[in-house]
Amino acid sequence: MASVIIGIAGGTGSGKTTLTRQLKKQFSEKVSIVYHDNYYKRNDSLTLEERKKINYDSPDAFDTDVMVEDLKTLKSGKAVRCPVYDYAIHNRTDKTVTVEPADVIIVEGILVFQNKRLRDLMDIKIFVDTDADERLIRRILRDCGERKRNVESVCAQYRATVKPMHEKYVEPSKKFADIIVVGGGNNLVALDMISTKVEKLLNK
């Protein structure tokens, strides 16, 4: 049985991870998840202060070609060693996580529809569409709570790169979606629809 690859895109704080968790729960051990964020490029030659100033919302910040090859490997039935990114140091670490091939492989990230080679590997493309104010609030709460940032730095980054890159890359990529989930990852009607489609593909 070939793997079904699901791409989940959307703006920061839109509810991508919530939807991913819901699908993981739905299909249990059949699911492996690959996060685009873990494929941020290494910047060992830069200081922490220099790394903080990188535009992490630009396609240039990612080693997407490596992610494409890893997904091809997973689809061929072989495990991959996925890189690990550390938000505290703004850099990829020396650690890796083994991701096993699975019936369902979820690819999550704000820009996973922006790259055609990556997009073409996906069987289902889902865009999580959430109001901009709600996304900003969620980002502030997440970054201050989980990533130990302060409100001033989160807002400064949002103005400088997050919002402009969302308008330039993320929002336009919505046109590639097969399914648009409105209101975030707790849209149970959308979840049922996605689950039914995945089951059909798995049973082909």
Side-chain angles (χ1 to χ4, degrees):
M1 182 187 294
S3 297
V4 174
I5 298 183
I6 303 173
I8 299 181
T12 180
S14 59
K16 298 183 300 299
T17 301
T18 300
L19 180 60
T20 296
R21 287 172 181 160
Q22 295 277 26
L23 288 170
K24 172 74 172 175
K25 184 178 178 181
Q26 191 88 9
F27 293 99
S28 188
E29 71 280 353
K30 296 180 181 179
V31 178
S32 286
I33 304 169
V34 183
Y35 296 99
H36 202 192
D37 281 9
N38 280 329
Y39 289 82
Y40 277 125
K41 292 175 181 176
R42 291 197 73 139
N43 290 289
D44 296 340
S45 63
L46 302 179
T47 66
L48 175 60
E49 289 306 311
E50 288 172 330
R51 293 198 298 270
K52 286 180 180 180
K53 296 175 183 177
I54 292 173
N55 182 354
Y56 290 100
D57 295 87
S58 166
D60 294 336
F62 296 89
D63 274 331
T64 302
D65 287 344
V66 176
M67 188 183 203
V68 167
E69 294 308 311
D70 280 354
L71 284 173
K72 288 180 178 179
T73 300
L74 284 171
K75 198 160 187 175
S76 73
K78 300 175 184 176
V80 298
R81 297 185 68 82
C82 178
V84 176
Y85 182 80
D86 187 338
Y87 295 97
I89 63 171
H90 297 266
N91 204 8
R92 192 191 294 180
T93 69
D94 292 326
K95 297 177 182 178
T96 59
V97 173
T98 299
V99 178
E100 299 288 344
D103 293 346
V104 178
I105 300 169
I106 297 176
V107 184
E108 182 198 311
I110 62 171
L111 293 171
V112 295
F113 296 166
Q114 189 273 333
N115 182 286
K116 187 178 186 302
R117 289 183 66 217
L118 181 56
R119 196 169 65 235
D120 287 348
L121 291 172
M122 300 171 187
D123 300 289
I124 305 174
K125 295 181 287 295
I126 303 166
F127 190 95
V128 184
D129 198 11
T130 303
D131 177 77
D133 290 342
E134 179 65 23
R135 288 191 288 103
L136 175 57
I137 291 168
R138 290 178 184 175
R139 184 181 178 101
I140 291 171
L141 292 173
R142 180 198 68 194
D143 284 8
C144 292
E146 298 175 14
R147 300 177 184 176
K148 308 306 178 187
R149 310 278 167 83
N150 58 59
V151 174
E152 291 77 12
S153 69
V154 175
C155 290
Q157 185 181 23
Y158 185 85
R159 292 191 189 100
T161 61
V162 177
K163 187 173 186 290
M165 295 298 100
H166 179 89
E167 293 171 350
K168 184 174 182 179
Y169 294 112
V170 182
E171 188 67 22
S173 77
K174 183 164 63 175
K175 67 185 178 185
F176 299 114
D178 302 306
I179 301 169
I180 296 175
V181 176
V182 177
N186 287 314
N187 186 328
L188 298 182
V189 174
L191 179 64
D192 285 345
M193 183 172 64
I194 294 163
S195 299
T196 300
K197 177 63 177 176
V198 173
E199 288 286 3
K200 286 182 179 178
L201 289 172
L202 288 174
N203 292 325
K204 270 189 175 179

